[in-house]
Amino acid sequence: MTHPVESAPPTREVDPREVRRIAFSAFIGTALEWYDFFLFGTASALVFQHVYFSGSSPIVATMASFATFGVGFLARPLGGVLFGAMGDRWGRKPTLIVSIVAIGLATGLVGCLPTSASIGLAAPILLTCLRLLQGVAVGGEWGGATTLALEHAPPEKRGRYAALVQIGSPAGTLLSSGAFALVFLLPDASVDSWGWRLPFLAAFPFLGIALWIRLQVEESPVFQQAEREAEGGGEGEAARGSFVDLFRHHGVKVLWASCASLVGIGGFFVMSTYALSYGTSVLGIERQSMVNATVIAAVGQILINVGFGRLAEKIGAHRVVIGGGLASAILAWPLWILMDTANIVAITVAIVLGLAVVTISYSVVGVLITHMFPSRVRYMGMAISVNIAGAISGLLPFIATWLNSFYEEQSSTPAILILVVISLVTVLGGYFGSRHHTEDEVLVTEKPAA
């Protein structure tokens, strides 16, 4: 079966203000997504083992906490399928509104959840259910936000707009780490009893702001063109795509796009969530000091996103992805050697550099993936690819903790090996992904000069 060649949308003059508004909306959504997800990661590393899994040994409690954290990532590919199908069939904008509401509600409700001391086994079960809902909703957020932003952006500026969407990650990290840094100023007993809830409850007002901003944006012109074609029936209906279409005709692209995304997501959780747990439980560093390190690192991530977004416009997104993967592999061992000094200054340097180097690939992977899929399956292709990488990434802190259980004295070796492997996988994804560039010019182009 052959598919019709997609016709390009009518050329139109790009309104810079409109593009910036769309990109800012995508940034806000991504910031809320990562605020919510990193809140759960921080709480999993530092709090949940005390309030939901306190009846187990320390290492079992930590593993159970990280398993709950990982469940959200396992749910993300399902979210990619569900929201991807909605986004390619019903529109990018309404789908993104549904996803952001679900994310905010799931996160806020975690802050209302009773502990195991109050309702027993039901507490961790409900926590896992909310994490599953959060994971499904987040599964449709990034792919749609990036698709919407880049389908509005002029070709020569896609690197910077992709980077702006990605800045939502460190911005969300900054907000969540900052929130927990304030919480950890409280006495430990207050933190474990009620203080940890405050950052989760803050998701409710954040949701209101994000929803208001997202309601102001316009639908993607690429989707609007596909809608006009589909209204005529016949071949135009193929422009909507499907899950079967994606994997029958673009399955290899999904593989390489997932690989290209791996270190940007997985490396982040190795150098943040797992590093937080390792620093506090193995090295004996105070929780406050570890969270402060992630706050500083988030500022560095913003600068990395901006700089490498511009660089990708000059040398190509795939070269930035490949270079970031190589740099992450090379620096994995030195970074964890710094961690093992148990010196808070050295640890802070390791976390800042570690999160900076894994952000290089992350900053522009959206550009690479956007150009791999035609518009009829773009939302779904991006969402599923990134969330396959996310599902793997969410299990990495659990896997590292599990591997460490085989050592008489806990070691940084599992973290080093994991970081090297996912970095090299990203190098392969960047290289082969660039060889699957789609040439159906369905992204908005500048109006030719008169």
Side-chain angles (χ1 to χ4, degrees), residues 35 39 42-43 46-48 50-51 111 174-202 206 286-289 291-292 295:
Y35 172 80
L39 272 186
T42 303
L46 304 178
V47 177
F48 284 165
H50 305 306
V51 298
L174 195 61
L175 287 171
S176 58
S177 296
F180 264 110
L182 292 175
V183 167
F184 285 134
L185 294 176
L186 298 169
D188 286 348
S190 297
V191 171
D192 290 341
S193 63
W194 58 267
W196 67 269
R197 299 180 182 277
L198 300 178
F200 286 94
L201 294 173
F206 288 166
E286 292 182 354
R287 293 186 293 185
Q288 176 77 55
S289 299
V291 171
N292 289 345
V295 173

Side-chain angles (χ1 to χ4, degrees), residues 128-217:
T128 302
C129 289
L130 288 174
R131 181 60 171 172
L132 282 168
L133 174 61
Q134 189 188 62
V136 170
V138 167
E141 175 60 33
W142 179 88
T146 303
T147 297
L148 184 63
L150 295 187
E151 285 182 344
H152 276 276
E156 73 280 3
K157 294 182 179 180
R158 286 175 192 150
R160 69 191 67 184
Y161 286 117
L164 178 59
V165 177
Q166 303 297 60
I167 288 173
S169 171
T173 303
L174 195 61
L175 287 171
S176 58
S177 296
F180 264 110
L182 292 175
V183 167
F184 285 134
L185 294 176
L186 298 169
D188 286 348
S190 297
V191 171
D192 290 341
S193 63
W194 58 267
W196 67 269
R197 299 180 182 277
L198 300 178
F200 286 94
L201 294 173
F204 287 130
F206 288 166
L207 169 61
I209 296 170
L211 183 59
W212 179 80
I213 293 173
R214 185 150 285 177
L215 286 170
Q216 311 305 310
V217 305

Side-chain angles (χ1 to χ4, degrees), residues 203-387:
F204 287 130
F206 288 166
L207 169 61
I209 296 170
L211 183 59
W212 179 80
I213 293 173
R214 185 150 285 177
L215 286 170
Q216 311 305 310
V217 305
E218 297 182 15
E219 180 58 271
S220 159
V222 175
F223 179 80
Q224 290 174 342
Q225 174 67 13
E227 275 287 282
R228 286 191 289 269
E229 294 175 357
E231 285 174 1
E235 291 187 346
E237 187 66 23
R240 293 177 182 267
S242 68
F243 179 79
V244 174
D245 179 18
L246 174 67
F247 279 93
R248 178 178 296 169
H249 300 284
H250 308 284
V252 173
K253 296 180 182 180
V254 172
L255 170 65
W256 294 125
S258 300
C259 290
S261 306
L262 192 55
V263 79
I265 305 173
F268 175 86
F269 287 107
V270 170
M271 294 306 306
S272 59
T273 302
Y274 181 69
L276 285 174
S277 175
Y278 186 85
T280 54
S281 63
V282 177
L283 303 179
I285 306 299
E286 292 182 354
R287 293 186 293 185
Q288 176 77 55
S289 299
M290 294 298 298
V291 171
N292 289 345
T294 64
V295 173
I296 298 170
V299 176
Q301 284 183 282
I302 292 174
L303 300 176
I304 291 292
N305 272 293
V306 172
F308 283 91
R310 294 298 184 96
L311 180 63
E313 294 172 357
K314 296 180 172 61
I315 69 172
H318 69 287
R319 292 188 176 90
V320 173
V321 170
I322 292 170
L326 289 173
S328 300
I330 292 169
L331 290 175
W333 183 74
L335 290 171
W336 281 89
I337 290 297
L338 282 176
M339 286 287 296
D340 280 336
T341 63
N343 178 281
I344 187 56
V345 175
I347 290 173
T348 300
V349 170
I351 291 176
V352 170
L353 290 180
L355 289 177
V357 74
V358 300
T359 300
I360 294 173
S361 295
Y362 180 76
S363 65
V364 295
V365 73
V367 179
L368 174 67
I369 301 176
T370 296
H371 286 281
M372 291 173 66
F373 297 100
S375 63
R376 67 176 180 271
V377 293
R378 178 169 292 134
Y379 194 137
M380 186 184 298
M382 293 184 69
I384 292 177
S385 300
V386 170
N387 287 305

Side-chain angles (χ1 to χ4, degrees), residues 26-38 99-101 103-105 107 134 138 141 168-169 171-172 175 202-208 210-211:
F27 157 76
I28 291 295
T30 306
L32 179 60
E33 168 192 349
W34 282 100
Y35 172 80
D36 294 351
F37 244 64
F38 193 70
S99 71
I100 204 168
V101 169
I103 292 169
L105 289 178
T107 303
Q134 189 188 62
V138 167
E141 175 60 33
S169 171
L175 287 171
F204 287 130
F206 288 166
L207 169 61
L211 183 59

